[in-house]
Structures are given as C-alpha cells and as structure tokens.
Amino acid sequence: MVELLAPAGNFISLRAVLENGADAVYFGLNKYNMRANAKNFSLDELEDVSKIAKEYGAKTYLGTNIILNEKLACELEGNLEIISSSEIDGLILSDIGLIEDTVSHGLEAHISVQENVTNSYTLKTLKKLGAKRAILSRELSLGEITEIAKKSPIETEIFVHGAICMAISGRCFLSYGLYGRSANCGDCLQPCRKNWTLTYEEGDDNVINFSDVEDETFIITGSDDGSYRTNFFSPKDMCMIEYIPELMKSGVDSFKIEGRARSPDYGAMVTGIYRQAIDDYVKDPLSYEVRDEWMEELGSVFNRGFDTNFYFNTPFETSEDNQSKYIKKDIGQVVNYYNKVKAAEIRIWDDLKIGDKIIIQGQTTGSITHIIDSMQIEGESVDYVSKNSNVAIAIPTKVRENDFVYKLVERNSDD
C-alpha cells in the first residue's frame, strides 16, 4: 500500500491532515527546513507531534533539508539525541553527510528532493550510506520514475500535488540575488510569483534559439503604461488526482502533498481527496473512476491553476495569483460545544445564513468544513443571523472553545 504523506505547518494543520487520512506527516523545526516562513515547531514540541501522530497510527518525518553551513550542521547533529528521544520516525536530509549520524540515533534517513536524485545509481549509493528513502527529482517523467523505482534498493517518494518551483528541484538563487533572502536556506520571498515586466532590446543578435518547440508563447498582458507583464517564472501547481492508477503502478512507495506554508483547510481538503482516490483504487482497481467533484473541491482551496508538472510532458503554462473560487473570511469563534445535541455556540462578527459554508479550525479540532443547515438563537430556529450575535449551529463533529470560524465567500461576491 502506498503511503500518503501530508504537510503540517502547525498543530492545527497536523490534526487536520491526520483526521483526513494521512499515513504520515512531514514538518519542520524553526531552523533547518525549507519553510522558514511557516509557523513550524520547536524542539520541545516534537514529542507532542509524535504523540498526536501515534494516535492515528501515522509516521513522522522532520524536514532538515536546507543547505547547512558548518554552524547549522553542528547544531543539527547536536540535536539528534533530543529529536530521537521524541520518537520522531525520520529526518528528511538534503546533506548526505548527516546520514550516518541520523541512522546511528535510530532515525530513518530520507533524502530530500533538493538532492535532485534522477537515477538508480544514486539510489544504490544512498543505500550504502544508510538512507532508507529518497524523494525523486521533480523533473522526471512518469516513465523515468517507474524505471527508477523498479531498480531502486531503497524506498522512493514523489510529489503528487502542490506548488512547483521554477528552479531544478527547488535550488534557486533569485530571492537571494534580489533580496539577500536565500531559498536554499528556507527563506524564499518567492519573487518568481510576482508579475514581471517584459522588455526586449532590438538588434540583440546574441540570443540564439535552437528549440524545436513550435509554441514558445507566454501569457503576456498589456498595461496602461505601454509595458507588458508576464508570470513566466511562476508555474501552475501540480495536481495528479486524475492519474492515481498510473502513479500506483509506478512502484513508488510514498505520495507527497506539498503545502506546509498553506492553511489547515488546504491540508484537510487535499489530503482527504487523495485518501479517497487511493482507497477507491486499492478497493477495486478495475472499476476505479475519477470522481467529478474531486477537481472542483481541489479548486476551492488556494491554488495557482493546475498542471501535471513533468510527469507527461514539459510544463508550459504559467500561473497567476490564487485561482481558488473562494476566499476565507474570519467571521467568529466557538464559545462552547454541546455534545448531547451536537451543536456549537458561536460568537460571530459577520452575518451568517443557512446554506453558508464555514470552516472551523483549532489545535485539537484540526480543520472541519461544514455547510450550515440549522441555526438557533435562544431556542428559536432562524435562517439568518446578523453580526455581533451568539448563535447555535448544528454540527455533528465535535469542535472546541476558542476554535476559529471562517466563512467561505465566492470571489467577487458582495457578501
């Protein structure tokens, strides 16, 4: 059975992806990982992460995948005893020099996509060094992945959903060159996602095009000032939900969802859908069908449009900003939950009505999406509640005091 590996940027996300069927979670410390801008976890919190994951029978992988200078490498090596004692299962490493120390502390060594593993010969060498798994390069086709996985002496892992970097396996210098903030140290400001101005100098004979690709167009938009802008640095997000059978047949051991810096409802939604897809295929491969609602639901959370990355061809479409049909509006907080009647009392600071879709998030609750079908004020059923009120909402899943409440609002809506 393939492992479904989901991201956790904080405790709410951790609970959200586990509740939605993740077999394993990956996360980062405040140092050493490629998402410095996510909340992340402290060394003292690793034991709690491990305990929560064990409640669900899930494995835990700690990302330590930045380029380590001498000081950081020594620090990380010095913390391996604490990490091991927290009962975390493994480390995701971008530095093969720490494989031996990691394994000697009883931890699995997983090699990061930053290592750009593209062939079985590298995997054989990693096996000799003690690695248990390698995340394969994101520039490989599905055919290449299948061939490599067949020959691999260790476990293999691939990304199946989420943001894609324009640089090879994420090794980029653009953020550092412009702002002095290094992507390779987890501090990327994502200048590639900005809208760039395109200029062209006449008479430049130094640019020679040997490409045999007929369509070399980018999405270019004219501006009021007469210049032209494009997002050609910014690829669309990867989405492989429609190709689960092909991925399952590749022989890869783990499917990874990108998104530690994204919201808990993103993690919950994406994890839940890939869980359904994998389980449907395993249950009956011959009758497996892609559900129509999967793509619609994936499009309802943050995304830059979808592509299949390099799995079937070379990506050529560029993304713009968030393509989700909805925005998440902060509208309230849970006051209490009444187990007997399965209802939550919520203090709201925005209007609410029957049929609204809300998200409730909390450190223990995780992330729950619910369409309101019953509301009461002082025991009387109501269809609409104005802001600055307390309202009881029927919700079958337990939520908790001080959980955050959001309303999903369609973009360009007047609501």
Side-chain angles (χ1 to χ4, degrees):
M1 180 71 171
V2 72
E3 174 189 86
L4 180 59
L5 176 56
N10 54 44
F11 278 108
I12 299 176
S13 293
L14 174 67
R15 187 75 68 168
V17 298
L18 291 169
E19 282 285 343
N20 282 274
D23 297 309
V25 292
Y26 68 102
F27 46 90
L29 287 172
N30 294 327
K31 289 183 178 181
Y32 320 122
N33 83 94
M34 292 297 290
R35 291 294 182 271
N37 296 323
K39 187 175 181 182
N40 295 309
F41 299 90
S42 67
L43 276 171
D44 295 336
E45 291 173 328
L46 292 185
E47 189 173 343
D48 291 332
V49 172
S50 181
K51 285 180 179 178
I52 292 169
K54 288 182 190 307
E55 292 175 20
Y56 298 84
K59 299 195 77 172
T60 46
Y61 308 133
L62 176 61
T64 58
N65 53 342
I66 64 168
I67 292 178
L68 297 168
N69 60 25
E70 182 68 15
K71 179 182 178 182
L72 288 174
C74 290
E75 278 185 23
L76 179 56
E77 194 278 333
N79 286 325
L80 288 178
E81 189 65 40
I82 297 173
I83 294 169
S84 177
S85 66
S86 70
E87 299 188 7
I88 294 299
D89 290 294
L91 263 60
I92 303 171
L93 299 166
S94 62
D95 196 320
I96 60 174
L98 285 168
I99 293 177
E100 184 178 358
D101 286 316
T102 297
V103 174
S104 69
H105 282 82
L107 296 159
E108 296 178 10
H110 294 197
I111 305 306
S112 169
V113 72
Q114 295 288 110
E115 273 295 305
N116 194 219
V117 176
T118 58
N119 60 70
S120 62
Y121 296 95
T122 301
L123 292 166
K124 290 172 184 175
T125 300
L126 292 172
K127 166 74 172 177
K128 292 177 183 177
L129 294 174
K132 182 173 183 180
R133 178 186 296 182
I135 299 94
L136 300 181
S137 169
R138 288 190 284 200
E139 288 70 43
L140 294 171
S141 70
L142 187 56
E144 291 171 319
I145 288 168
T146 302
E147 183 179 0
I148 292 168
K150 189 184 300 181
K151 298 177 180 177
S152 178
I154 61 176
E155 294 178 2
T156 52
E157 177 181 306
I158 56 173
F159 284 90
V160 297
H161 194 95
I164 297 297
C165 181
M166 61 128 178
I168 293 177
S169 288
R171 292 195 168 221
C172 182
F173 295 92
L174 190 59
S175 179
Y176 185 79
L178 292 173
Y179 310 115
R181 304 276 289 272
S182 175
N184 302 306
C185 293
D187 198 19
C188 184
L189 292 183
Q190 296 192 320
C192 58
R193 304 295 185 187
K194 294 182 182 294
N195 200 295
W196 286 75
T197 300
L198 184 67
T199 61
Y200 174 74
E201 295 183 10
E202 293 286 349
D204 187 352
D205 296 326
N206 294 319
V207 179
I208 303 174
N209 181 13
F210 292 108
S211 173
D212 58 359
V213 178
E214 293 182 6
D215 184 1
E216 296 177 320
T217 60
F218 295 106
I219 300 171
I220 300 175
T221 306
S223 300
D224 294 337
D225 61 4
S227 65
Y228 292 86
R229 290 177 167 80
T230 178
N231 291 87
F232 61 86
F233 283 137
S234 180
K236 289 187 174 183
D237 286 359
M238 179 196 297
C239 177
M240 293 297 292
I241 195 64
E242 296 177 294
Y243 303 96
I244 292 299
E246 291 89 340
L247 294 176
M248 294 289 284
K249 293 172 185 175
S250 71
V252 166
D253 298 283
S254 181
F255 293 170
K256 187 173 195 172
I257 297 167
E258 186 277 338
R260 277 187 292 136
R262 296 192 180 182
S263 64
D265 45 292
Y266 172 91
M269 173 72 76
V270 176
T271 302
I273 289 173
Y274 277 86
R275 177 79 279 154
Q276 291 175 45
I278 292 169
D279 290 350
D280 282 2
Y281 180 80
V282 171
K283 184 178 180 181
D284 191 351
L286 295 178
S287 301
Y288 176 83
E289 291 183 355
V290 178
R291 300 189 199 180
D292 292 338
E293 65 267 24
W294 286 343
M295 284 300 294
E296 183 176 346
E297 290 175 0
L298 289 171
S300 70
V301 292
F302 184 95
N303 70 88
R304 298 185 180 93
F306 294 128
D307 200 346
T308 56
N309 196 35
F310 287 88
Y311 283 117
F312 301 113
N313 52 31
T314 302
F316 64 91
E317 292 190 274
T318 57
S319 73
E320 295 185 8
D321 295 327
N322 183 8
Q323 303 294 299
S324 168
K325 296 178 181 179
Y326 301 93
I327 57 174
K328 194 170 66 174
K329 191 175 184 182
D330 179 7
I331 61 116
Q333 195 165 26
V334 175
V335 176
N336 205 348
Y337 184 77
Y338 302 95
N339 285 296
K340 288 186 178 181
V341 295
K342 295 191 180 303
E345 180 185 353
I346 299 175
R347 180 172 64 253
I348 58 171
W349 41 83
D350 193 30
D351 299 345
L352 207 57
K353 65 182 182 297
I354 297 292
D356 279 344
K357 184 181 283 190
I358 60 173
I359 295 173
I360 301 178
Q361 294 179 349
Q363 188 163 311
T364 303
T365 300
S367 181
I368 295 167
T369 301
H370 176 70
I371 298 175
I372 298 174
D373 57 9
S374 176
M375 296 192 300
Q376 290 186 352
I377 291 184
E378 296 181 356
E380 297 290 329
S381 295
V382 294
D383 294 331
Y384 174 86
V385 183
S386 58
K387 60 184 178 182
N388 300 322
S389 304
N390 277 34
V391 59
I393 295 176
I395 180 168
T397 307
K398 183 176 180 178
V399 295
R400 293 155 181 87
E401 183 181 358
N402 294 325
D403 282 355
F404 302 105
V405 183
Y406 305 91
K407 179 169 62 174
L408 287 178
V409 180
E410 285 194 37
R411 290 186 179 276
N412 303 318
S413 169
D414 294 330
D415 195 353

